[in-house]
């Protein structure tokens, strides 16, 4: 049976030659020492583990941070009084204190009360998001899913309750996974190029062409697309990226529904 996976994949790639952390282009006709190739595969496997560990760490941080808001008397007061300015002030403090990329507060029906990362946007309904749906049922949760303003993000949701246990709102907070700054930081540590895909389209990457990130370009290798997205299996091997030869690893990421 085909695995039910999200339409996002992670690409970790290293060129066929690395010197002092600088990725170099070489021709595909070059003969490559077997031991070098094996070392490259090991480097990719380490890089994959580091990236996945970073994602899991951010999931835990986001979910742990929601606990602070669950019992916040001032946040509850802002919902009950429909005081959007009070809510924004509290959420901005949370945005800064916890170092997350976004926080969204909604009423009990999923209508947005405040977004400190985009304060001018409110009133829309985000009850289709899984973390909001679970929060409306009284459940805390975390996972990777798309958002209204921030695509492909780690989203932790929690219900906001009054003392009687009644749910009067929900809160969602987390991190942007398709973050070039995150990938740049990991590239510096790992001396690897990294790319985040949404389905087969690059949405964040360290790979450059003509001074620009190759965001928006497609993964052309149908074999890799089928193996990673359809079969849910990682791929490791040689591949061309923008006509350059790379040793690559592609890793499927499960969404919040598994």
């Amino acid at each position: 049976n085909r695995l039910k996976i999200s339409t996002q994949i992670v690409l970790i790639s290293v060129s066929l030659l690395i010197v002092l952390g600088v990725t170099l282009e070489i021709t595909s006709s070059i003969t490559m020492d077997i031991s070098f190739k094996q070392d490259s595969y090991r480097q990719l496997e380490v890089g994959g583990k580091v990236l996945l560990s970073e994602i899991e760490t951010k999931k835990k941080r986001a979910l742990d941070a929601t606990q602070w808001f669950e019992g916040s008397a001032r946040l509850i007061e802002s919902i009950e009084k429909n005081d959007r300015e009070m809510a924004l002030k509290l959420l901005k403090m949370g945005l800064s204190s916890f170092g997350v990329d976004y926080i969204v507060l909604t009423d009990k029906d999923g209508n947005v009360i405040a977004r400190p990362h985009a304060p001018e946007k409110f009133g829309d309904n985000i009850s289709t998001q899984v973390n909001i749906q679970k929060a409306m049922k009284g459940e805390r949760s975390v996972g990777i899913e798309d958002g209204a303003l921030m695509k492909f993000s780690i989203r932790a949701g929690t219900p906001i309750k009054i003392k009687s246990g009644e749910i009067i709102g929900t809160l969602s907070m987390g991190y942007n996974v398709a973050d070039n700054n995150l990938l740049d930081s990991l590239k510096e540590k790992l001396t690897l190029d990294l790319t985040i895909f949404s389905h087969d389209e690059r949405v964040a990457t360290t790979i450059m062409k003509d001074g620009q990130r190759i965001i928006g370009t497609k993964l052309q290798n149908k074999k890799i697309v089928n193996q990673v997205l359809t079969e849910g299996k990682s791929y490791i091997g040689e591949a061309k990226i923008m006509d350059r030869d790379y040793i690559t690893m592609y890793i499927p990421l499960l969404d919040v529904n598994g």
Side-chain angles (χ1 to χ4, degrees):
N1 293 332
R2 293 182 176 178
L3 298 179
K4 181 180 180 183
I5 63 175
S6 70
T7 56
Q8 285 90 20
I9 58 178
V10 173
L11 159 69
I12 303 171
S13 58
V14 57
S15 71
L16 301 185
L17 186 62
I18 298 178
V19 179
L20 299 178
V22 179
T23 305
L24 304 178
E25 176 185 1
I26 61 174
T27 64
S28 58
S29 61
I30 190 169
T31 58
M32 183 168 48
D33 182 81
I34 293 176
S35 63
F36 179 85
K37 183 184 286 189
Q38 291 173 339
D39 287 343
S40 295
Y41 286 152
R42 283 193 289 269
Q43 189 180 9
L44 287 172
E45 289 172 352
V46 170
K49 290 178 181 178
V50 170
L51 180 55
L52 294 178
S53 175
E54 181 73 18
I55 290 173
E56 290 304 313
T57 296
K58 286 181 177 293
K59 282 183 180 180
K60 186 178 186 304
R61 286 177 183 169
L63 188 61
D64 288 347
T66 61
Q67 296 183 43
W68 186 87
F69 292 97
E70 284 184 32
S72 170
R74 294 181 65 193
L75 192 62
I76 291 171
E77 181 183 356
S78 73
I79 298 173
E80 291 180 323
K81 292 183 176 180
N82 195 28
D83 189 334
R84 185 169 165 275
E85 291 304 317
M86 179 190 293
L88 274 173
K89 183 178 180 180
L90 293 170
L91 297 181
K92 283 179 180 178
M93 291 172 56
L95 202 65
S96 174
S97 297
F98 294 108
V100 292
D101 293 327
Y102 86 93
I103 304 178
V104 180
L105 179 68
T106 81
D107 63 18
K108 62 182 179 62
D109 298 315
N111 298 306
V112 174
I113 297 172
R115 285 186 178 96
H117 57 292
E120 74 284 358
K121 296 186 180 298
F122 61 96
D124 54 310
N125 187 283
I126 59 172
S127 60
T128 57
Q129 292 181 21
V130 174
N131 72 103
I132 297 296
Q133 291 175 354
K134 290 184 176 181
M136 290 166 65
K137 296 176 182 178
E139 304 173 28
R140 294 174 64 237
S141 68
V142 65
I144 296 174
E145 59 179 313
D146 286 341
L149 301 182
M150 193 174 294
K151 301 297 184 183
F152 194 24
S153 48
I154 293 169
R155 297 187 166 267
T158 189
I160 305 297
K161 303 177 182 178
I162 58 178
K163 290 183 179 180
S164 66
E166 178 188 354
I167 298 172
I168 62 169
T170 74
L171 182 130
S172 177
M173 63 190 300
Y175 300 91
N176 181 19
V177 177
D179 181 1
N180 287 317
N181 292 328
L182 169 63
L183 298 190
D184 287 344
S185 174
L186 291 175
K187 176 178 179 176
E188 186 176 346
K189 294 177 184 177
L190 300 169
T191 64
L192 296 173
D193 278 300
L194 301 101
T195 297
I196 300 290
F197 281 80
S198 177
H199 189 55
D200 63 349
E201 180 179 340
R202 293 176 178 90
V203 294
T205 185
T206 61
I207 300 176
M208 311 284 282
K209 184 176 182 180
D210 299 327
Q212 301 293 323
R213 298 180 193 267
I214 59 170
I215 292 171
T217 58
K218 299 275 189 174
L219 175 61
Q220 300 294 332
N221 192 314
K222 300 303 181 184
K223 175 184 175 182
I224 297 175
V225 170
N226 182 68
Q227 181 169 321
V228 179
L229 288 178
T230 305
E231 299 177 6
K233 299 176 182 177
S234 295
Y235 171 89
I236 186 166
E238 296 176 40
K240 282 188 177 294
I241 303 172
M242 306 301 290
D243 297 321
R244 296 183 179 185
D245 295 296
Y246 285 80
I247 298 175
T248 63
M249 174 181 281
Y250 294 78
I251 306 170
L253 286 180
L254 298 180
D255 68 8
V256 70
N257 293 311

